Amino acid sequence: MPGNFDVKYVAHLARIALTPAEEEQFGAQLSNILGYIEKLNQIDVSQIEPTAHAVPLVNVFRADEVRPSLSNEEALANAPAKANGLFIVPKIVE
Amino acid sequence: MSYEAVIGLETHVQLKTKSKMWCGCANEFGAPPNTRVCPVCLGLPGVLPVANEEALRLTALTGLLLNCTLPSHAKFDRKNYFYPDMPKNYQITQYDKPSAINGHIDFEFGGGVARVRITRAHLEEDVGKNIHFDRTSGVDFNRAGVPLLEIVSEPEITGADMAYEYLNALKDVLIHGGVSDADMEKGMVRCDVNVSVRPVGTEALGKKIEIKNMNSFSGVRRALEYEIPRQIAVLEKGGQLTQETRRWDDAGGITETMRSKEMAHDYRYFPEPDLMPFEPTEAWLEEIRRRVVELPLAKKQRLMRQYQLPAADAQTFVWDRALGDYFEALARKAKNPKSAANWIINNLRAQLAAAGGTLAGLKFPPEYILDIVDLVESRKISSSAAQLVFAEMFSGGEAPAVIVENKGLAQVSDAGAIEAYCDQAIAAHPGPVADYKSGKAAALNFLKGQVMKLSKGKANPNLAGEILERKLK
């Protein structure tokens, strides 16, 4: 329901830090968007097959063939931190 | 009140392809970190994944091997979460339209054959590997994007041992089917365990506990041996269980809380816009059907029936497929397949292991094993001489008949010659002779052994026995 749009929850899922003012602003805007999309629910789709794509295309494959990879230097070129061929990230704790 | 466990397993298996699921990087274990990566599997902006057809074939093949239905329409979805091992921040998987559904696997358990139903098998991508240091973590994306099949069982496994046997049976099927190497050491098989307990006789499921990321089958068994009594103890003390994810601490031998349901993930699944749906055609499926092989359990049962093999021998030929193929090729020409199986398992396999050789590198044709069986059964050589013949044939590749001739191993069935050996044995061992005469039948075996020794293993043992008996009457 548009009115119940939980901006804090969605911001957390997307790992975006919002200020209270932004929460107010984006929460209202996203609620409006959802309200607009809500109109789609008024259409009778009982006779329509669900689809994920507009293009009626299936079975797009590639052959199982190995192609050259990037070098380790290229792969790590944009990494903010690297060591021993690895991407270095803040310590992962679960 | 007594309780029963309800267990479901989610088994992740890396598929045996040359390249990754969405890109041409090699699907290869053990390469230096981040050297089997490209913009696609590193999740760089603007790239487009393209499905590896062989991975879809292996998925369908697994479905057939697990007696699944292969839906006419399957699709891929994005499972969104943030974790450093997943550079795109979503994993491509099959959420509500998987490639295989409603199957089952049969396996030997508790003296009979158990059946566990398979809910679904869906294709997804593996993630990178994290390496933890003191103050930071490192990520290697070589594994990211490797095709990964998740096989989900119905919650109808009832105990730790049954879970263990189910996993082993599944692994056997996957290896036999050529779907996966299923090498646990290389992390090619991982398992999530869902387990709850309920009072015996009740229908409602208890609170589900998930144990994540098990990388050994014995670990799964030990974790369940710990977790099931733990849950029962909580309930028996009047306590409540909460739905949660637990971690197995292999060194400590315990499970511990990782996160409770309140912190459960919301993966915001949605259809993967970069990939088109998959709708296998009849011709495509027919090609897969041709790749279906006999399942391990069916093969074991057939070997026992067709060749009168004992269960252990049949199992050996199932586990060692090359040896089994070698046996079956030979068994079709054998008058006595069971004897051929004995030679293959007790001698050939042992000598190959000792010499570090392979079946392909053998110096003699398989039919020579049948020659040895014939030589023994027609009593041309004794069974101890046959051992020598085999060893000689294995190392030099000569025909058994030639070895028997060259080494003078032909069994002596000439009564006159054997009589002479019997006389010598009787004269040399008055003690056992007296024992035998006073009623100790076993003493005859000793004397027979002496005759065999004197004849250098060539005397026909039955004849030697008869002659000794006659002489000692």
Side-chain angles (χ1 to χ4, degrees):
Chain A
M1 289 302 289
N4 294 336
F5 182 75
D6 187 345
V7 69
K8 281 187 183 160
Y9 178 64
V10 173
H12 170 71
L13 285 178
R15 301 297 187 271
I16 297 170
L18 297 180
T19 63
E22 284 170 331
E23 279 174 10
E24 186 78 19
Q25 184 190 356
F26 295 140
Q29 289 175 350
L30 286 166
S31 288
N32 280 340
I33 292 168
L34 285 180
Y36 182 67
I37 291 171
E38 192 70 5
K39 287 188 178 174
L40 292 175
N41 280 343
Q42 293 161 14
I43 302 168
D44 177 12
V45 291
S46 58
Q47 302 303 312
I48 297 172
E49 280 284 304
T51 178
H53 287 278
V55 187
L57 187 64
V58 294
N59 303 344
V60 180
F61 305 135
R62 44 172 270 274
D64 182 24
E65 285 162 6
V66 175
R67 294 196 179 185
S69 296
L70 296 176
S71 69
N72 183 256
E73 292 70 29
E74 288 170 309
L76 296 174
N78 293 332
K82 53 196 155 187
N84 304 323
L86 299 166
F87 291 86
I88 296 298
V89 298
K91 189 166 172 71
I92 302 165
V93 279
E94 174 122 28
Chain B
M1 199 184 329
S2 63
Y3 290 85
E4 64 183 5
V6 179
I7 302 161
L9 296 174
E10 295 166 12
T11 313
H12 296 86
V13 188
Q14 287 184 355
L15 296 178
K16 198 158 119 180
T17 55
K18 294 188 195 77
S19 65
K20 290 189 183 181
M21 187 63 226
W22 317 116
C23 62
C25 290
N27 172 7
E28 178 189 351
F29 177 85
N34 295 306
T35 56
R36 302 294 180 271
V37 292
C38 74
V40 173
C41 55
L42 285 174
L44 300 187
V47 297
L48 200 61
V50 186
N52 180 339
E53 184 174 11
E54 178 64 6
L56 284 156
R57 287 196 198 103
L58 292 174
T59 300
L61 177 58
T62 306
L64 293 176
L65 293 171
L66 296 176
N67 310 290
C68 290
T69 302
L70 305 180
S72 57
H73 177 92
K75 72 171 176 64
F76 290 97
D77 302 273
R78 289 187 182 181
K79 175 181 178 179
N80 299 277
Y81 67 92
F82 294 95
Y83 204 65
D85 61 13
M86 175 40 74
K88 300 195 291 289
N89 294 335
Y90 58 84
Q91 179 189 32
I92 303 177
T93 181
Q94 296 180 316
Y95 180 55
D96 59 348
K97 298 284 178 192
S99 277
I101 55 170
N102 300 340
H104 65 260
I105 181 170
D106 292 334
F107 56 99
E108 289 178 312
F109 178 68
V113 173
R115 170 169 294 184
V116 168
R117 285 177 297 156
I118 304 292
T119 315
R120 56 189 277 163
H122 63 258
L123 184 54
E124 55 189 32
E125 57 180 327
D126 209 342
V127 297
K129 197 171 162 41
N130 297 322
I131 298 138
H132 302 290
F133 305 114
D134 263 359
R135 314 183 57 155
T136 59
S137 294
V139 192
D140 171 10
F141 289 111
N142 284 349
R143 199 179 66 181
V146 165
L148 195 67
L149 191 63
E150 178 171 337
I151 300 164
V152 182
S153 86
E154 286 289 307
E156 51 193 25
I157 296 167
T158 56
D161 289 335
M162 189 175 174
Y164 182 76
E165 294 305 332
Y166 162 85
L167 288 169
N168 278 305
L170 189 59
K171 181 180 159 185
D172 281 354
V173 168
L174 297 170
I175 292 175
H176 263 256
V179 167
S180 172
D181 288 330
D183 188 335
M184 314 282 302
E185 302 286 312
K186 295 179 180 169
M188 290 177 183
V189 187
R190 278 118 55 201
C191 189
D192 297 338
V193 181
N194 293 305
V195 52
S196 62
V197 298
R198 65 183 173 196
V200 172
T202 60
E203 282 294 313
L205 292 169
K207 285 279 185 295
K208 187 176 84 176
I209 310 289
E210 183 173 26
I211 311 169
K212 282 286 226 194
N213 237 334
M214 307 289 304
N215 52 18
S216 85
F217 295 168
S218 57
V220 169
R221 180 160 66 181
R222 288 176 60 221
L224 284 167
E225 281 168 351
Y226 172 86
E227 180 62 18
I228 294 168
R230 183 193 73 83
Q231 292 184 19
I232 292 171
V234 169
L235 296 180
E236 278 180 339
K237 277 189 227 139
Q240 294 278 324
L241 291 162
T242 49
Q243 184 174 331
E244 62 177 350
T245 300
R246 297 177 74 85
R247 176 192 293 112
W248 168 243
D249 170 2
D250 198 66
I254 57 164
T255 62
E256 56 198 8
T257 300
M258 257 171 89
R259 57 175 177 260
S260 65
K261 194 195 172 192
E262 291 72 55
M263 294 154 72
H265 285 132
D266 178 346
Y267 291 120
R268 296 163 294 145
Y269 285 98
F270 64 86
E272 166 58 87
D274 287 346
L275 290 162
M276 304 315 279
F278 170 54
E279 296 184 351
T281 62
E282 189 46 39
W284 194 90
L285 287 171
E286 190 47 43
E287 230 181 279
I288 309 297
R289 283 188 204 109
R290 278 200 288 272
R291 289 170 71 172
V292 170
V293 296
E294 187 179 27
L295 291 183
L297 179 61
K299 183 172 183 180
K300 178 179 175 181
Q301 290 169 337
R302 181 179 61 76
L303 290 174
M304 291 171 68
R305 203 173 51 236
Q306 192 172 342
Y307 304 112
Q308 284 78 50
L309 296 187
D313 289 3
Q315 188 66 65
T316 299
F317 289 139
V318 170
W319 278 333
D320 189 337
R321 196 154 129 197
L323 201 70
D325 290 346
Y326 185 90
F327 165 73
E328 283 218 73
L330 195 55
R332 284 183 208 114
K333 303 172 199 158
K335 278 178 285 197
N336 186 345
K338 196 173 170 306
S339 300
N342 278 338
W343 282 101
I344 291 171
I345 291 174
N346 298 331
N347 296 72
L348 180 60
R349 191 173 59 145
Q351 302 234 9
L352 274 178
T358 63
L359 287 168
L362 286 178
K363 293 182 183 154
F364 60 91
E367 289 73 22
Y368 281 10
I369 290 177
L370 298 184
D371 292 352
I372 294 186
V373 172
D374 283 344
L375 287 167
V376 175
E377 285 183 353
S378 63
R379 306 184 180 222
K380 292 206 176 74
I381 56 174
S382 68
S383 50
S384 55
Q387 296 292 330
L388 292 174
V389 173
F390 188 94
E392 199 64 27
M393 171 181 88
F394 183 86
S395 59
E398 274 183 312
V402 174
I403 297 167
V404 169
E405 181 67 32
N406 290 349
K407 299 255 164 188
L409 292 170
Q411 185 156 263
V412 175
S413 292
D414 165 16
I418 296 178
E419 279 214 43
Y421 292 131
C422 290
D423 288 339
Q424 279 183 51
I426 289 168
H429 302 283
V433 167
D435 285 348
Y436 179 74
K437 286 187 169 165
S438 67
K440 283 187 189 159
L444 192 73
N445 286 333
F446 172 80
L447 292 168
K448 215 161 101 177
Q450 296 306 310
V451 171
M452 294 309 291
K453 214 166 168 183
L454 289 164
S455 72
K456 300 196 171 69
K458 292 191 288 183
N460 178 329
N462 292 330
L463 199 53
E466 280 167 29
I467 292 169
L468 281 169
E469 263 180 71
R470 198 182 70 226
K471 284 182 180 289
L472 296 174
K473 243 181 204 161

